[in-house]
Amino acid sequence: MLKNKSNLIKTVLVLIVLIVLNWIGTKVYKRFDLTQDQRYTLSKSALAIVKDVKSPLIVDVFLEGEFPSEFRRLRNETEQLLEEFSLNNPHIKFNFINPLEDEKSRDNNIEQLMQRGLEPLQLSVNISGKTSQELIFPWALASYNDQTVKIPLIKNKIGATQQEVVTISIQHLEYAFAEGFQKLVTPKSKKIAILKGNGQLEDRYLADFLQTEKEHYFIAPFTLDSVATNAEATLKKLNDFDLIISAKPTEAFTEEEKLVLDQFTMNGGNSLWLTESILMDKDSLYNDEGRGIALINDLNLNDFFFKYGVRINPVIVNDMYSAPITIAMGEGSNAQFQPLKWPYSPLAAGNPEHPITSNLNLVKFDFASQLDTLKSSTTKTILLQSSKLTKLEGVPKEITLQIVTQDPDPSTYTKGPQNLAVLLEGQFTSVYKDRIKPFNSALNKDLSPDTKMIIIADGDVIKNDVVKNQPQELGFDRWTGQSFGNKEFLLNAVNYLLSDGNLLNVRTKDINIAFLDAQKIEDRKTQWQLISIGLPLLILALFGLVFNYVRRRKYA
């Protein structure tokens, strides 16, 4: 009797404990990220972007359907990431939609998505040696307070395999969503001045870059023409901006203009210079002779950059690892456009240790000059470099399209990697310290607070193509279908210069993605089929034999 009573008490206690634990489980929820790279833990910067979301933020993801295993992984990683955002802020809701599921509305859905700028991706699916083509939309649309932004889920890289593209895309997912959410929830506050008046690129050649940046910052043109009549008033107006961008100036700056720009830096302003010391444009080669002359482009800025710690050398970087040029080969109606190797378009690799250029696609240059870093009060970081196989060509020099028909001699490419983009940080010393100034101002300073400047040795890095008066996407080559990293590099550079650390901190997150080897799977398919099907049957047969043997011994 006592024993039964004791068992009853133990049973009741166990039931009470289970009930209490279940009740606690309904009130307390905790997820544990046991992955080595913490891929399912949102960075503090991403959480800071969405913490102020106070009304529904709806995300529609179109990555749904029957995909190869790599893209199923991308779809699942996207869902995991959005679940983390939703758990940290319940106002974030998401849906997965298959726009191609209904055959009746398929074509209409494709047309509507493409009109919104969501370009489809065509996949090559290889199953048992048979290749087929599948169409997917690797995009998401995020909506918040009557505003909608598109979020790309695929990040392309030149020469990457399908698995490599998915790996890079998964690494980029948190940044892509954080950037999209920031556009929706963070009000604009920083101001960017686009310098005009010294032969800089026209707005149509900056259209794609400016259109993208307008979603984050206030942007306005700024001319230095008024410096000649009222330099101090011009400086005061310029100091209202947080960043100036000078995109491929071709006309020399006066001393008064240089002092205004120098004092903008001395007062804590940031700068992005896309300049070059060579006057040469690829379009000038498309003539009957197929040739042009590269000349020195003296902008009167040598002492300006020299004082800050950079020298722009008037040479052309000739690189064996370069982007192609598309030329019409043949005569008349038989002419065909062919992409041919062009050594004056270096493909620059980014510094993997810096957030501006980590995980960055190759950046395309055209007739780039070469940068040297010098001793100064600033800290220098090389952001972009050419390949090791380079040589430097002085100017003036005749450039001819005939070079594409000649095989380059690798033994002449011995100059090593060349600096093409440099970041300067810290306290800048005025160019006009201990010098006679072109005008006097109460705003003049000899030493700046901590500030930043990026110098790029080619203005064409920011230039988008214009086709039939329509600006094209920056970094996209319509002839080869390749996308270069120009746009992403410049957007990251602006984020960094304006201390927009949230996005850059998200960008540096590194995730290791493991995939099955498709070739090994195909080669060992029969072996694994035998193991997965035959081994269980063999184990079952052995169990039957042993069971029957034991049974006979026991009951015979």
Side-chain angles (χ1 to χ4, degrees):
M1 184 70 179
L2 291 173
K3 185 177 180 180
N4 290 337
K5 187 177 180 179
S6 176
N7 289 337
L8 179 62
I9 292 172
K10 289 180 180 179
T11 303
V12 172
L13 287 173
V14 170
L15 289 174
I16 292 172
V17 170
L18 290 174
I19 291 170
V20 171
L21 289 174
N22 276 282
W23 180 82
I24 293 173
T26 61
K27 302 297 181 182
V28 180
Y29 180 78
K30 181 66 177 175
R31 290 159 68 99
F32 297 94
D33 187 353
L34 301 179
T35 57
Q36 185 177 6
D37 49 20
Q38 296 292 290
R39 77 178 65 169
Y40 302 119
T41 301
L42 294 177
S43 63
K44 293 180 180 179
S45 299
L47 293 175
I49 290 172
V50 299
K51 71 176 182 179
D52 294 326
V53 174
K54 304 300 183 184
S55 58
L57 193 161
I58 309 300
V59 183
D60 293 322
V61 184
F62 299 103
L63 197 64
E64 182 72 9
E66 296 296 326
F67 305 139
S69 59
E70 298 92 341
F71 286 88
R72 286 200 301 273
R73 171 71 68 86
L74 178 61
R75 184 253 181 234
N76 294 337
E77 295 284 345
T78 302
E79 184 176 27
Q80 291 272 10
L81 181 69
L82 289 174
E83 282 180 357
E84 290 298 322
F85 273 113
S86 182
L87 287 167
N88 282 279
N89 190 325
H91 290 294
I92 299 176
K93 311 290 183 182
F94 63 92
N95 311 292
F96 278 79
I97 301 170
N98 184 358
L100 310 178
E101 185 175 16
D102 187 354
E103 288 293 334
K104 295 181 180 178
S105 61
R106 174 188 171 101
D107 292 340
N108 186 49
N109 290 343
I110 292 175
E111 184 177 353
Q112 289 184 359
L113 291 173
M114 292 182 68
Q115 286 176 352
R116 301 190 71 164
L118 309 186
E119 293 293 332
L121 179 67
Q122 196 162 26
L123 303 179
S124 295
V125 183
N126 193 329
I127 302 177
S128 300
K130 297 181 179 179
T131 302
S132 61
Q133 300 296 319
E134 297 288 343
L135 201 67
I136 68 169
F137 280 88
W139 293 89
L141 289 176
S143 303
Y144 181 70
N145 292 345
D146 299 325
Q147 286 185 296
T148 301
V149 298
K150 57 184 182 180
I151 299 173
L153 305 181
I154 283 291
K155 180 176 168 60
N156 286 314
K157 187 172 183 179
I158 299 171
T161 64
Q162 206 160 270
Q163 282 190 356
E164 290 170 339
V165 166
V166 171
T167 298
I168 297 167
S169 301
I170 291 174
Q171 291 175 338
H172 192 70
L173 273 180
E174 186 176 343
Y175 175 79
F177 280 103
E179 183 191 30
F181 294 160
Q182 187 184 59
K183 292 177 183 178
L184 294 172
V185 305
T186 305
K188 294 189 288 187
S189 61
K190 302 290 181 68
K191 298 178 181 179
I192 301 176
I194 307 298
L195 293 187
K196 301 291 183 181
N198 292 86
Q200 284 91 347
L201 289 172
E202 299 176 22
D203 285 347
R204 58 179 179 152
Y205 294 112
L206 305 174
D208 187 49
F209 170 77
L210 296 180
Q211 193 62 38
T212 304
E213 288 294 31
K214 281 180 180 178
E215 298 175 350
H216 295 286
Y217 310 107
F218 295 106
I219 297 179
F222 192 95
T223 179
L224 297 175
D225 293 346
S226 59
V227 169
T229 56
N230 196 336
E232 187 164 0
T234 304
L235 176 57
K236 288 181 178 179
K237 291 180 182 178
L238 189 59
N239 282 338
D240 289 337
F241 291 89
D242 302 285
L243 171 69
I244 59 171
I245 298 177
S246 184
K248 198 177 180 179
T250 56
E251 298 175 12
F253 290 79
T254 66
E255 291 300 320
E256 290 81 3
E257 290 171 340
K258 286 166 58 178
L259 179 56
V260 168
L261 295 171
D262 172 77
Q263 289 304 306
F264 171 77
T265 301
M266 294 307 109
N267 283 277
N270 303 289
S271 308
L272 175 60
W273 286 90
L274 295 107
T275 184
E276 51 195 9
S277 60
I278 303 298
L279 271 179
M280 187 66 212
D281 196 288
K282 197 158 55 176
D283 292 342
S284 64
L285 297 174
Y286 296 121
N287 51 47
D288 292 339
E289 293 80 20
R291 64 185 69 235
I293 303 296
L295 301 171
I296 292 178
N297 183 26
D298 185 6
L299 296 173
N300 192 30
L301 291 176
N302 291 339
D303 60 334
F304 188 80
F305 294 126
F306 194 94
K307 184 69 174 182
Y308 297 153
V310 170
R311 179 172 55 221
I312 305 176
N313 295 308
V315 293
I316 304 175
V317 177
N318 184 319
D319 194 339
M320 284 194 67
Y321 191 65
S322 55
I325 187 174
T326 302
I327 301 176
M329 304 293 288
E331 298 291 337
S333 60
N334 294 322
Q336 294 183 340
F337 288 98
Q338 294 184 16
L340 300 170
K341 198 166 187 64
W342 181 245
Y344 297 114
S345 293
L347 293 178
N351 180 350
E353 304 300 325
H354 199 276
I356 293 179
T357 48
S358 65
N359 298 324
L360 186 72
N361 203 351
L362 296 172
V363 177
K364 180 187 174 187
F365 285 71
D366 277 311
F367 297 105
S369 304
Q370 177 250 358
L371 303 176
D372 282 335
T373 57
L374 310 168
K375 186 177 180 179
S376 71
S377 59
T378 59
T379 301
K380 292 89 180 170
T381 303
I382 305 302
L383 296 178
L384 295 174
Q385 280 189 326
S386 69
S387 77
K388 296 179 180 180
L389 298 175
T390 64
K391 59 183 178 180
L392 302 177
E393 299 180 354
V395 290
K397 179 179 175 58
E398 183 182 62
I399 306 293
T400 173
L401 292 177
Q402 290 296 322
I403 193 173
V404 300
T405 63
Q406 303 167 6
D407 292 330
D409 182 5
S411 64
T412 62
Y413 289 79
T414 58
K415 292 297 183 179
Q418 302 299 321
N419 302 330
L420 300 179
V422 177
L423 166 68
L424 309 178
E425 297 177 280
Q427 288 188 314
F428 287 70
T429 301
S430 172
V431 176
Y432 290 91
K433 181 182 179 181
D434 301 327
R435 286 174 54 181
I436 297 176
K437 298 175 176 58
F439 66 88
N440 292 317
S441 170
L443 300 175
N444 283 349
K445 297 180 180 179
D446 288 335
L447 191 66
S448 78
D450 284 344
T451 188
K452 299 183 281 287
M453 177 184 291
I454 292 177
I455 301 173
I456 303 171
D458 178 26
D460 290 316
V461 169
I462 200 173
K463 182 180 178 182
N464 58 248
D465 286 338
V466 177
V467 179
K468 296 181 179 178
N469 212 29
Q470 292 297 316
Q472 305 299 298
E473 182 182 0
L474 174 60
F476 179 74
D477 186 344
R478 70 184 188 276
W479 298 106
T480 63
Q482 292 182 330
S483 291
F484 301 99
N486 296 44
K487 184 176 181 179
E488 186 178 359
F489 166 64
L490 292 170
L491 297 181
N492 291 342
V494 170
N495 287 344
Y496 189 84
L497 290 171
L498 292 176
S499 301
D500 199 349
N502 281 343
L503 288 178
L504 280 172
N505 290 337
V506 175
R507 225 187 152 275
T508 57
K509 189 173 181 179
D510 196 16
I511 296 175
N512 297 316
I513 307 297
F515 288 99
L516 295 175
D517 191 320
Q519 186 60 45
K520 286 185 178 179
I521 291 173
E522 186 64 29
D523 294 341
R524 302 181 183 180
K525 181 172 65 175
T526 304
Q527 173 186 341
W528 288 110
Q529 284 177 339
L530 289 173
I531 291 174
S532 60
I533 298 174
L535 187 59
L537 294 176
L538 179 61
I539 293 172
L540 184 61
L542 289 173
F543 174 78
L545 291 173
V546 172
F547 178 79
N548 284 326
Y549 175 76
V550 171
R551 189 169 181 275
R552 287 179 182 177
R553 287 288 303 268
K554 185 174 181 180
Y555 297 106

